[in-house]
């Protein structure tokens, strides 16, 4: 009997070990992560551009998704974009869901490349796999979200969602009563860091005393872990939360305590109508339509596309039902200034956590600097693991 | 002090599904059947309750369906291990893989949809303002109270009644139990099914109370922790209560340490529950070397009347 027990114990330990390694695997991958040096790649990678692609009358289009379209966030919005593109162009696209950012992705993209003309790979972690396949299939066009590597037949696209994070910060700064705002960040990578910083700057612009406490969940999509993180922030005393995550778990946890909260990627008000703040949203449809149409008339070129509030790729979800009119007005005013260019989120003076000046008065961060951000602004409580 | 109380409250919240699953596992193993299908059965319980709750809006129906589906899985496990005498470990692993895959498939249409209404809470308003007790117990949900009661009830039944004596006899020495007049095969079927129902309800609790949105693989290893907790608790329901909350606390400890401001990278903090599982199993193995492990003697071995194995 003893032997059976030890065998069982060994199995349990093996499983626990597998979980540890699986956990590590998850944390090193990232789905919507952005590149540290997107800007520099833009300068070198696409100098010549890949013009001269023959026009394809009815291109066969495929999308590769990191999660299920029902995630209510990241993949949900990409799928909405696909539907919009299908309506506008009359072209039916194929989709593959739940594709892990591993060798599996390369296999699936390779299979798709054999009978498709355009492939959208909608997660940062697909970058190298997409590039590998792009080299093998020079006639197929690849579009990769949030990355920084390109080829003659591979372009990238993303957007300045930090503009919307700044606006969310204004709402959060006005709504907090204890001057403590919680931020659930997925990974300490530039994409999340510049959104967090923009959020904190937005909050401080209307409430100089507001502090933002950040917690890293080390996952893009794990509702139970995100919930733990949110509850920890609420326990610490935060009364407004924002989650740069793909699930609405934070909003649900905050609603149970009567705190305001926002999520990411799409309008998440349906998860807690009375406690919804707002959050940045994506609108990929027009871009997907543009790409498909440019392939149809033969004008597609490899590019590093960066959308923003102005072109509509980045948006802000309607403010929650319980947010007062004067706060809505403040957000609207700032949005108008961002749209006409009189407001720059990362214009100086900006100090880092230690108080040292990072951006001086009269200067502003370049896109390259923003996309490589690895420091937190003053008033943010938390650290970036080195 | 506040830190501890809040940690304890978080421990109860995230420990409850673990506790219910562990109690189910104890029922299985006390009868002599190893149950490694916990992860899969929890997922099936979660996805069934989610589907039913969203379609009908009735919490009762959702729970009933979750219990039904996990009972069916328990029956399959019992048939394999009791009647066919298949290897318990391989059967259990197969159940986990099966449940993980099937739940992912069934859950696709409802993934990411919010639940219609939260599970009712037991509001003990007279506790409001009472330090510690009020913060911990004033506004718990019905599942949590049910899990307290279940742990105490199972403890009394297993250790204080003849019914429990029969159960323990069956797990320690089925041949003797048979001679005593206990119908070993039938009872094992019953206990495995009852255990599986509890495990399935643990999944339903995770979904309905703790994280009210279905997503694929949402148990994220909790089933395996529950299997380890059985050994941890040495097959005792009351000890299972403490162990489950211990692990519940570990689950949220990482984030809290992060907020306190520490130099430890958050990646390491995330490993805490799993690393502690390994360490505790190692420690228990070392401390109890040469002593009986407290496990049912006939755990994992099939029994057929008048057959030697």
């Amino acid at each position: 009997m003893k032997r059976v027990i030890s065998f069982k114990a060994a199995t349990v330990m093996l499983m626990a070990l597998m979980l540890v390694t699986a956990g590590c695997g998850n944390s090193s991958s990232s789905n919507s992560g952005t590149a540290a040096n997107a800007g520099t790649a833009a300068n070198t990678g696409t100098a010549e551009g890949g013009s001269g692609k023959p026009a394809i009358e009815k291109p066969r289009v495929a999308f590769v998704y990191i999660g299920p379209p029902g995630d209510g966030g990241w993949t949900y919005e990409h799928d909405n974009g696909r539907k919009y593109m299908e309506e506008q162009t009359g072209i039916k696209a194929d989709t593959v869901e739940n594709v892990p950012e591993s060798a599996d992705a390369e296999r699936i993209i390779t299979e798709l490349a054999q009978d498709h003309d355009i492939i959208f790979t909608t997660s940062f972690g697909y970058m190298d796999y997409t590039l590998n396949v792009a080299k093998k299939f020079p006639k197929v066009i690849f579009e990769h979200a949030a990355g920084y590597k390109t080829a003659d037949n591979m372009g990238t696209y993303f957007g300045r969602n930090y503009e919307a994070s700044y606006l969310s910060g204004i709402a959060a700064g006005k709504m907090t009563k204890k001057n403590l705002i919680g931020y659930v960040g997925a990974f300490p990578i530039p994409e999340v860091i510049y959104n967090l910083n923009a959020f904190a700057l937005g909050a401080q612009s209307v409430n100089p005393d507001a502090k933002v406490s950040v917690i890293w969940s080390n996952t893009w999509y794990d509702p139970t872990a995100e919930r733990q993180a949110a509850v920890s922030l609420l326990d610490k005393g935060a009364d407004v939360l924002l989650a740069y995550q793909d699930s609405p778990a934070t909003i649900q946890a905050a609603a149970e305590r009567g705190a305001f909260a926002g999520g990411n990627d799409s309008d998440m008000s349906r998860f807690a109508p009375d406690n919804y703040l707002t959050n940045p949203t994506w609108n990929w449809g027009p871009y997907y339509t543009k790409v498909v149409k440019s392939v149809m008339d033969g004008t597609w070129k490899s590019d590093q596309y960066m959308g923003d509030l102005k072109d509509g790729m980045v948006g802000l979800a309607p403010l929650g039902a319980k947010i007062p009119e004067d706060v809505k007005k403040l957000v609207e005013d700032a949005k108008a200034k961002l749209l006409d260019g009189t407001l720059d989120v990362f214009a100086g003076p900006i100090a880092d956590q230690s108080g040292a000046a990072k951006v001086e008065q009269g200067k502003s961060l370049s896109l390259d600097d923003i996309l490589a951000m690895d420091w937190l602004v003053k008033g943010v409580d938390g650290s970036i693991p080195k | 002090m506040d830190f501890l109380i809040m940690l304890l409250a978080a421990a109860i919240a995230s420990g409850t599904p673990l506790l219910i699953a562990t109690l189910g596992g104890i029922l299985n193993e006390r009868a002599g059947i190893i149950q490694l299908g916990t992860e899969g059965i929890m997922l099936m319980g979660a996805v069934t309750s989610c589907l039913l709750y969203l379609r009908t809006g009735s919490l009762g129906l959702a729970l009933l369906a979750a219990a039904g589906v996990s009972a069916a899985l328990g029956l399959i496990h019992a048939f394999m291990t009791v009647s066919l005498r298949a290897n318990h470990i391989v059967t259990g692993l197969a159940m986990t893989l099966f449940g993980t895959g099937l739940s992912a498939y069934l859950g696709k249409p409802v993934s990411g949809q919010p639940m219609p209404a939260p599970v009712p809470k037991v509001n003990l308003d007279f506790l409001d303002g009472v330090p510690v007790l009020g913060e911990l117990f004033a506004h718990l949900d019905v599942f949590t109270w049910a899990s307290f009661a279940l742990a105490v009830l199972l403890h009394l039944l297993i250790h204080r009644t003849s019914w429990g004596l029969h159960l323990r006899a069956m797990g320690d020495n089925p041949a003797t139990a048979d001679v005593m007049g206990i119908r070993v095969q039938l009872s094992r079927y019953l206990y495995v099914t009852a255990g599986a129902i509890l495990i399935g309800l643990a999944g339903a609790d995770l979904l309905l109370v703790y994280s009210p949105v279905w997503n694929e693989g949402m148990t994220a290893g909790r089933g395996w922790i529950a299997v380890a907790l059985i050994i941890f608790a040495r097959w005792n329901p009351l000890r299972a209560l403490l162990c489950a909350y211990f692990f519940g606390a570990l689950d949220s400890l990482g984030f809290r340490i992060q907020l306190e401001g520490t130099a430890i990278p958050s990646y390491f903090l995330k490993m805490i529950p799993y690393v502690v599982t390994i360490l505790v199993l190692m420690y228990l193995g070392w401390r109890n070397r040469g002593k009986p492990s407290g496990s049912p003697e006939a755990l994992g071995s099939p029994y057929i009347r008048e057959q030697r194995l």
Side-chain angles (χ1 to χ4, degrees), chain B residues 24-25 27-29 32-38 41 69-96 98 188-197 199 299-300:
Chain B
L27 265 189
N28 272 288
E29 302 216 338
I33 307 293
I34 299 174
Q35 176 61 282
L36 293 188
T38 311
I41 301 175
V69 166
S70 34
L73 289 171
L75 277 176
I76 298 174
H77 189 65
F79 177 68
M80 296 290 289
T81 52
V82 179
S83 298
L84 299 184
R85 290 185 285 166
N87 183 303
H88 296 192
I89 289 164
V90 177
T91 310
L93 290 177
M95 298 288 277
T96 285
F98 169 72
R188 279 189 165 179
Y189 262 91
L190 282 177
Y191 288 123
V192 172
T193 310
I197 290 177
I199 295 170
L299 186 56

Short mmCIF file of all heavy atoms in Angstrom, two decimals, chain B residues 24-25 27-29 32-38 41 69-96 98 188-197 199 299-300:
data_model
loop_
_atom_site.label_atom_id
_atom_site.label_comp_id
_atom_site.label_asym_id
_atom_site.label_seq_id
_atom_site.Cartn_x
_atom_site.Cartn_y
_atom_site.Cartn_z
N GLY B 24 -14.68 16.41 -0.98
CA GLY B 24 -15.08 15.39 -1.95
C GLY B 24 -14.00 14.35 -2.12
O GLY B 24 -14.26 13.14 -2.14
N GLY B 25 -12.76 14.83 -2.24
CA GLY B 25 -11.64 13.91 -2.40
C GLY B 25 -11.47 13.00 -1.20
O GLY B 25 -11.16 11.82 -1.34
N LEU B 27 -13.83 11.92 0.80
CA LEU B 27 -14.85 10.88 0.72
C LEU B 27 -14.41 9.75 -0.22
O LEU B 27 -14.55 8.57 0.10
CB LEU B 27 -16.16 11.46 0.19
CG LEU B 27 -17.20 11.90 1.21
CD1 LEU B 27 -18.49 12.24 0.49
CD2 LEU B 27 -17.46 10.78 2.22
N ASN B 28 -13.88 10.13 -1.38
CA ASN B 28 -13.36 9.16 -2.33
C ASN B 28 -12.30 8.27 -1.71
O ASN B 28 -12.35 7.06 -1.80
CB ASN B 28 -12.71 9.87 -3.52
CG ASN B 28 -13.68 10.20 -4.60
OD1 ASN B 28 -14.13 9.31 -5.31
ND2 ASN B 28 -14.01 11.46 -4.73
N GLU B 29 -11.34 8.93 -1.11
CA GLU B 29 -10.15 8.21 -0.69
C GLU B 29 -10.40 7.41 0.58
O GLU B 29 -9.78 6.36 0.78
CB GLU B 29 -8.98 9.18 -0.51
CG GLU B 29 -8.70 9.93 -1.80
CD GLU B 29 -7.23 10.19 -2.04
OE1 GLU B 29 -6.46 10.19 -1.08
OE2 GLU B 29 -6.87 10.39 -3.22
N GLY B 32 -11.23 4.21 -0.35
CA GLY B 32 -10.16 3.45 -0.98
C GLY B 32 -9.94 3.76 -2.45
O GLY B 32 -9.17 3.07 -3.12
N ILE B 33 -10.62 4.77 -2.97
CA ILE B 33 -10.48 5.09 -4.39
C ILE B 33 -9.72 6.41 -4.54
O ILE B 33 -10.13 7.43 -4.00
CB ILE B 33 -11.86 5.24 -5.07
CG1 ILE B 33 -12.72 4.01 -4.80
CG2 ILE B 33 -11.69 5.48 -6.56
CD1 ILE B 33 -12.23 2.73 -5.44
N ILE B 34 -8.61 6.38 -5.29
CA ILE B 34 -7.87 7.61 -5.56
C ILE B 34 -8.60 8.41 -6.63
O ILE B 34 -9.03 7.84 -7.63
CB ILE B 34 -6.44 7.28 -6.05
CG1 ILE B 34 -5.69 6.50 -4.97
CG2 ILE B 34 -5.69 8.56 -6.39
CD1 ILE B 34 -4.33 6.03 -5.43
N GLN B 35 -8.74 9.71 -6.39
CA GLN B 35 -9.44 10.54 -7.37
C GLN B 35 -8.50 11.65 -7.86
O GLN B 35 -8.28 12.64 -7.17
CB GLN B 35 -10.68 11.15 -6.71
CG GLN B 35 -11.46 12.12 -7.55
CD GLN B 35 -12.00 11.55 -8.83
OE1 GLN B 35 -11.28 11.37 -9.81
NE2 GLN B 35 -13.28 11.21 -8.84
N LEU B 36 -7.93 11.43 -9.05
CA LEU B 36 -7.08 12.48 -9.62
C LEU B 36 -7.81 13.25 -10.72
O LEU B 36 -7.22 14.05 -11.42
CB LEU B 36 -5.79 11.89 -10.19
CG LEU B 36 -4.81 11.30 -9.18
CD1 LEU B 36 -3.51 10.93 -9.87
CD2 LEU B 36 -4.53 12.27 -8.05
N GLY B 37 -9.12 12.98 -10.85
CA GLY B 37 -9.88 13.68 -11.88
C GLY B 37 -10.43 15.01 -11.39
O GLY B 37 -11.21 15.66 -12.08
N THR B 38 -10.02 15.43 -10.18
CA THR B 38 -10.58 16.62 -9.54
C THR B 38 -10.63 17.84 -10.46
O THR B 38 -11.67 18.48 -10.59
CB THR B 38 -9.76 16.97 -8.28
OG1 THR B 38 -9.61 15.77 -7.53
CG2 THR B 38 -10.46 17.99 -7.44
N ILE B 41 -13.29 17.40 -13.16
CA ILE B 41 -14.66 17.41 -12.64
C ILE B 41 -15.05 18.81 -12.19
O ILE B 41 -16.17 19.26 -12.41
CB ILE B 41 -14.82 16.38 -11.50
CG1 ILE B 41 -14.48 14.97 -12.02
CG2 ILE B 41 -16.23 16.39 -10.95
CD1 ILE B 41 -14.49 13.90 -10.96
N VAL B 69 -24.04 16.30 -13.56
CA VAL B 69 -22.94 16.01 -14.48
C VAL B 69 -21.75 15.41 -13.73
O VAL B 69 -21.14 14.42 -14.18
CB VAL B 69 -22.52 17.29 -15.23
CG1 VAL B 69 -21.19 17.10 -15.93
CG2 VAL B 69 -23.58 17.68 -16.23
N SER B 70 -21.44 15.98 -12.55
CA SER B 70 -20.28 15.43 -11.84
C SER B 70 -20.60 14.05 -11.27
O SER B 70 -19.70 13.20 -11.18
CB SER B 70 -19.79 16.39 -10.76
OG SER B 70 -20.85 17.09 -10.19
N ALA B 71 -21.86 13.80 -10.92
CA ALA B 71 -22.24 12.45 -10.49
C ALA B 71 -21.99 11.46 -11.62
O ALA B 71 -21.47 10.35 -11.40
CB ALA B 71 -23.70 12.42 -10.07
N ALA B 72 -22.34 11.85 -12.84
CA ALA B 72 -22.12 10.96 -13.99
C ALA B 72 -20.62 10.68 -14.15
O ALA B 72 -20.21 9.53 -14.36
CB ALA B 72 -22.68 11.60 -15.25
N LEU B 73 -19.80 11.72 -14.01
CA LEU B 73 -18.35 11.52 -14.12
C LEU B 73 -17.85 10.62 -13.00
O LEU B 73 -17.00 9.75 -13.21
CB LEU B 73 -17.63 12.87 -14.06
CG LEU B 73 -17.80 13.75 -15.29
CD1 LEU B 73 -17.22 15.14 -15.05
CD2 LEU B 73 -17.13 13.11 -16.50
N GLY B 74 -18.42 10.80 -11.78
CA GLY B 74 -18.05 9.96 -10.66
C GLY B 74 -18.41 8.50 -10.93
O GLY B 74 -17.62 7.59 -10.63
N LEU B 75 -19.58 8.29 -11.51
CA LEU B 75 -20.00 6.92 -11.83
C LEU B 75 -19.03 6.27 -12.83
O LEU B 75 -18.68 5.10 -12.69
CB LEU B 75 -21.42 6.92 -12.40
CG LEU B 75 -22.54 6.94 -11.37
CD1 LEU B 75 -23.89 7.04 -12.05
CD2 LEU B 75 -22.48 5.67 -10.50
N ILE B 76 -18.61 7.06 -13.81
CA ILE B 76 -17.65 6.50 -14.78
C ILE B 76 -16.36 6.10 -14.06
O ILE B 76 -15.83 5.00 -14.26
CB ILE B 76 -17.33 7.53 -15.89
CG1 ILE B 76 -18.60 7.87 -16.67
CG2 ILE B 76 -16.26 6.99 -16.82
CD1 ILE B 76 -18.41 9.00 -17.69
N HIS B 77 -15.90 7.00 -13.18
CA HIS B 77 -14.67 6.71 -12.45
C HIS B 77 -14.85 5.45 -11.60
O HIS B 77 -13.96 4.59 -11.54
CB HIS B 77 -14.30 7.90 -11.57
CG HIS B 77 -12.96 7.81 -10.93
ND1 HIS B 77 -11.79 7.82 -11.64
CD2 HIS B 77 -12.59 7.68 -9.63
CE1 HIS B 77 -10.77 7.71 -10.82
NE2 HIS B 77 -11.22 7.62 -9.58
N ALA B 78 -16.01 5.35 -10.94
CA ALA B 78 -16.28 4.19 -10.09
C ALA B 78 -16.34 2.91 -10.94
O ALA B 78 -15.79 1.87 -10.57
CB ALA B 78 -17.59 4.38 -9.34
N PHE B 79 -17.00 3.00 -12.07
CA PHE B 79 -17.10 1.82 -12.94
C PHE B 79 -15.71 1.36 -13.37
O PHE B 79 -15.37 0.18 -13.31
CB PHE B 79 -17.95 2.16 -14.16
CG PHE B 79 -18.07 1.03 -15.14
CD1 PHE B 79 -18.76 -0.12 -14.81
CD2 PHE B 79 -17.47 1.12 -16.39
CE1 PHE B 79 -18.87 -1.18 -15.71
CE2 PHE B 79 -17.56 0.07 -17.29
CZ PHE B 79 -18.27 -1.08 -16.96
N MET B 80 -14.88 2.31 -13.76
CA MET B 80 -13.52 1.97 -14.20
C MET B 80 -12.71 1.36 -13.06
O MET B 80 -12.05 0.32 -13.24
CB MET B 80 -12.78 3.24 -14.68
CG MET B 80 -13.37 3.91 -15.89
SD MET B 80 -13.16 2.97 -17.38
CE MET B 80 -11.41 3.15 -17.65
N THR B 81 -12.76 2.00 -11.89
CA THR B 81 -11.84 1.58 -10.83
C THR B 81 -12.41 0.44 -9.99
O THR B 81 -11.67 -0.45 -9.58
CB THR B 81 -11.53 2.76 -9.89
OG1 THR B 81 -12.76 3.33 -9.46
CG2 THR B 81 -10.71 3.81 -10.60
N VAL B 82 -13.72 0.43 -9.73
CA VAL B 82 -14.30 -0.60 -8.86
C VAL B 82 -14.63 -1.86 -9.67
O VAL B 82 -14.21 -2.96 -9.33
CB VAL B 82 -15.56 -0.08 -8.13
CG1 VAL B 82 -16.16 -1.16 -7.27
CG2 VAL B 82 -15.21 1.14 -7.30
N SER B 83 -15.36 -1.70 -10.76
CA SER B 83 -15.80 -2.87 -11.51
C SER B 83 -14.72 -3.40 -12.45
O SER B 83 -14.48 -4.59 -12.53
CB SER B 83 -17.05 -2.55 -12.32
OG SER B 83 -18.09 -2.20 -11.45
N LEU B 84 -14.09 -2.49 -13.18
CA LEU B 84 -13.09 -2.94 -14.16
C LEU B 84 -11.70 -3.04 -13.56
O LEU B 84 -10.78 -3.54 -14.20
CB LEU B 84 -13.05 -2.00 -15.37
CG LEU B 84 -14.35 -1.87 -16.16
CD1 LEU B 84 -14.15 -0.98 -17.37
CD2 LEU B 84 -14.83 -3.25 -16.62
N ARG B 85 -11.54 -2.54 -12.34
CA ARG B 85 -10.26 -2.56 -11.64
C ARG B 85 -9.15 -1.89 -12.45
O ARG B 85 -8.01 -2.37 -12.50
CB ARG B 85 -9.86 -4.00 -11.30
CG ARG B 85 -10.76 -4.57 -10.22
CD ARG B 85 -10.28 -5.93 -9.82
NE ARG B 85 -10.61 -6.92 -10.83
CZ ARG B 85 -10.08 -8.13 -10.86
NH1 ARG B 85 -9.21 -8.49 -9.97
NH2 ARG B 85 -10.44 -8.98 -11.80
N ALA B 86 -9.49 -0.83 -13.13
CA ALA B 86 -8.47 -0.08 -13.87
C ALA B 86 -7.59 0.68 -12.87
O ALA B 86 -8.00 0.91 -11.74
CB ALA B 86 -9.14 0.91 -14.81
N ASN B 87 -6.41 1.04 -13.30
CA ASN B 87 -5.51 1.82 -12.45
C ASN B 87 -6.15 3.16 -12.10
O ASN B 87 -6.55 3.91 -12.97
CB ASN B 87 -4.19 2.03 -13.21
CG ASN B 87 -3.17 2.75 -12.37
OD1 ASN B 87 -3.44 3.85 -11.90
ND2 ASN B 87 -2.03 2.14 -12.18
N HIS B 88 -6.22 3.46 -10.80
CA HIS B 88 -6.92 4.67 -10.35
C HIS B 88 -6.26 5.93 -10.88
O HIS B 88 -6.93 6.90 -11.21
CB HIS B 88 -6.91 4.74 -8.82
CG HIS B 88 -7.67 3.63 -8.17
ND1 HIS B 88 -8.00 3.62 -6.86
CD2 HIS B 88 -8.15 2.48 -8.68
CE1 HIS B 88 -8.66 2.50 -6.57
NE2 HIS B 88 -8.75 1.80 -7.65
N ILE B 89 -4.93 5.89 -10.91
CA ILE B 89 -4.20 7.10 -11.28
C ILE B 89 -4.40 7.42 -12.76
O ILE B 89 -4.71 8.55 -13.13
CB ILE B 89 -2.70 6.94 -10.94
CG1 ILE B 89 -2.57 6.99 -9.41
CG2 ILE B 89 -1.86 8.01 -11.59
CD1 ILE B 89 -1.29 6.48 -8.88
N VAL B 90 -4.28 6.38 -13.59
CA VAL B 90 -4.46 6.61 -15.02
C VAL B 90 -5.90 7.04 -15.32
O VAL B 90 -6.14 7.98 -16.08
CB VAL B 90 -4.09 5.35 -15.81
CG1 VAL B 90 -4.34 5.57 -17.29
CG2 VAL B 90 -2.64 4.99 -15.57
N THR B 91 -6.87 6.36 -14.67
CA THR B 91 -8.27 6.74 -14.88
C THR B 91 -8.50 8.19 -14.48
O THR B 91 -9.15 8.96 -15.20
CB THR B 91 -9.19 5.84 -14.05
OG1 THR B 91 -8.84 4.49 -14.30
CG2 THR B 91 -10.64 6.04 -14.43
N GLY B 92 -7.95 8.57 -13.31
CA GLY B 92 -8.14 9.94 -12.83
C GLY B 92 -7.54 10.96 -13.78
O GLY B 92 -8.17 11.97 -14.09
N LEU B 93 -6.33 10.67 -14.26
CA LEU B 93 -5.69 11.61 -15.19
C LEU B 93 -6.53 11.73 -16.46
O LEU B 93 -6.70 12.83 -17.00
CB LEU B 93 -4.28 11.13 -15.54
CG LEU B 93 -3.26 11.23 -14.41
CD1 LEU B 93 -1.92 10.66 -14.85
CD2 LEU B 93 -3.09 12.67 -13.95
N ALA B 94 -7.08 10.58 -16.90
CA ALA B 94 -7.93 10.62 -18.10
C ALA B 94 -9.15 11.50 -17.85
O ALA B 94 -9.56 12.28 -18.71
CB ALA B 94 -8.35 9.21 -18.49
N MET B 95 -9.73 11.40 -16.63
CA MET B 95 -10.91 12.22 -16.30
C MET B 95 -10.55 13.71 -16.36
O MET B 95 -11.33 14.53 -16.84
CB MET B 95 -11.39 11.92 -14.88
CG MET B 95 -11.84 10.51 -14.65
SD MET B 95 -13.40 10.22 -15.46
CE MET B 95 -14.47 10.87 -14.25
N THR B 96 -9.36 14.04 -15.86
CA THR B 96 -8.94 15.44 -15.87
C THR B 96 -8.81 15.95 -17.30
O THR B 96 -9.32 17.01 -17.65
CB THR B 96 -7.61 15.61 -15.12
OG1 THR B 96 -7.87 15.51 -13.72
CG2 THR B 96 -6.99 16.96 -15.40
N PHE B 98 -10.13 14.71 -20.00
CA PHE B 98 -11.45 14.69 -20.62
C PHE B 98 -12.28 15.91 -20.19
O PHE B 98 -12.83 16.63 -21.03
CB PHE B 98 -12.14 13.38 -20.22
CG PHE B 98 -13.59 13.31 -20.58
CD1 PHE B 98 -13.99 13.16 -21.89
CD2 PHE B 98 -14.56 13.36 -19.58
CE1 PHE B 98 -15.33 13.10 -22.21
CE2 PHE B 98 -15.90 13.30 -19.90
CZ PHE B 98 -16.29 13.17 -21.21
N ARG B 188 -18.62 1.64 -2.45
CA ARG B 188 -17.57 2.39 -3.13
C ARG B 188 -18.17 3.22 -4.26
O ARG B 188 -17.79 4.37 -4.46
CB ARG B 188 -16.49 1.45 -3.65
CG ARG B 188 -15.51 1.04 -2.57
CD ARG B 188 -14.33 0.29 -3.11
NE ARG B 188 -13.27 0.23 -2.10
CZ ARG B 188 -12.12 -0.38 -2.30
NH1 ARG B 188 -11.86 -1.00 -3.43
NH2 ARG B 188 -11.21 -0.38 -1.35
N TYR B 189 -19.09 2.60 -4.99
CA TYR B 189 -19.79 3.36 -6.04
C TYR B 189 -20.42 4.62 -5.45
O TYR B 189 -20.29 5.72 -5.97
CB TYR B 189 -20.90 2.51 -6.68
CG TYR B 189 -20.48 1.84 -7.97
CD1 TYR B 189 -19.93 0.57 -7.99
CD2 TYR B 189 -20.65 2.51 -9.19
CE1 TYR B 189 -19.55 -0.04 -9.16
CE2 TYR B 189 -20.28 1.90 -10.38
CZ TYR B 189 -19.73 0.63 -10.37
OH TYR B 189 -19.36 0.04 -11.54
N LEU B 190 -21.11 4.43 -4.31
CA LEU B 190 -21.82 5.56 -3.70
C LEU B 190 -20.85 6.66 -3.28
O LEU B 190 -21.07 7.84 -3.56
CB LEU B 190 -22.59 5.08 -2.47
CG LEU B 190 -23.90 4.36 -2.76
CD1 LEU B 190 -24.53 3.88 -1.47
CD2 LEU B 190 -24.85 5.32 -3.50
N TYR B 191 -19.77 6.27 -2.62
CA TYR B 191 -18.84 7.29 -2.11
C TYR B 191 -18.12 8.02 -3.23
O TYR B 191 -17.89 9.22 -3.15
CB TYR B 191 -17.84 6.66 -1.13
CG TYR B 191 -18.51 6.30 0.17
CD1 TYR B 191 -18.48 5.00 0.65
CD2 TYR B 191 -19.19 7.27 0.90
CE1 TYR B 191 -19.11 4.66 1.83
CE2 TYR B 191 -19.83 6.94 2.07
CZ TYR B 191 -19.78 5.64 2.55
OH TYR B 191 -20.41 5.32 3.69
N VAL B 192 -17.74 7.26 -4.25
CA VAL B 192 -17.05 7.91 -5.37
C VAL B 192 -17.99 8.90 -6.04
O VAL B 192 -17.61 10.03 -6.37
CB VAL B 192 -16.53 6.87 -6.38
CG1 VAL B 192 -16.00 7.56 -7.62
CG2 VAL B 192 -15.44 6.03 -5.74
N THR B 193 -19.25 8.51 -6.19
CA THR B 193 -20.22 9.42 -6.81
C THR B 193 -20.46 10.64 -5.93
O THR B 193 -20.43 11.78 -6.41
CB THR B 193 -21.55 8.68 -7.06
OG1 THR B 193 -21.26 7.46 -7.73
CG2 THR B 193 -22.48 9.51 -7.90
N ALA B 194 -20.66 10.39 -4.62
CA ALA B 194 -20.90 11.51 -3.71
C ALA B 194 -19.70 12.45 -3.70
O ALA B 194 -19.85 13.68 -3.74
CB ALA B 194 -21.18 11.00 -2.30
N GLY B 195 -18.50 11.88 -3.68
CA GLY B 195 -17.28 12.70 -3.69
C GLY B 195 -17.21 13.54 -4.95
O GLY B 195 -16.90 14.74 -4.91
N ALA B 196 -17.53 12.91 -6.09
CA ALA B 196 -17.46 13.63 -7.36
C ALA B 196 -18.47 14.77 -7.38
O ALA B 196 -18.21 15.85 -7.91
CB ALA B 196 -17.71 12.69 -8.53
N ILE B 197 -19.66 14.54 -6.76
CA ILE B 197 -20.66 15.61 -6.71
C ILE B 197 -20.10 16.82 -5.96
O ILE B 197 -20.21 17.96 -6.42
CB ILE B 197 -21.96 15.12 -6.04
CG1 ILE B 197 -22.65 14.11 -6.96
CG2 ILE B 197 -22.89 16.28 -5.72
CD1 ILE B 197 -23.89 13.49 -6.38
N ILE B 199 -16.98 17.61 -5.59
CA ILE B 199 -15.93 18.22 -6.41
C ILE B 199 -16.55 19.10 -7.50
O ILE B 199 -16.11 20.22 -7.75
CB ILE B 199 -15.01 17.14 -7.02
CG1 ILE B 199 -14.26 16.42 -5.89
CG2 ILE B 199 -14.03 17.74 -8.00
CD1 ILE B 199 -13.52 15.18 -6.34
N LEU B 299 -5.88 2.12 -0.04
CA LEU B 299 -6.08 3.16 -1.04
C LEU B 299 -5.44 2.76 -2.37
O LEU B 299 -4.26 2.40 -2.41
CB LEU B 299 -5.46 4.47 -0.54
CG LEU B 299 -5.69 5.71 -1.41
CD1 LEU B 299 -7.15 5.96 -1.62
CD2 LEU B 299 -5.01 6.91 -0.78
N GLY B 300 -6.22 2.80 -3.40
CA GLY B 300 -5.69 2.53 -4.73
C GLY B 300 -5.70 1.09 -5.14
O GLY B 300 -5.33 0.75 -6.27
#
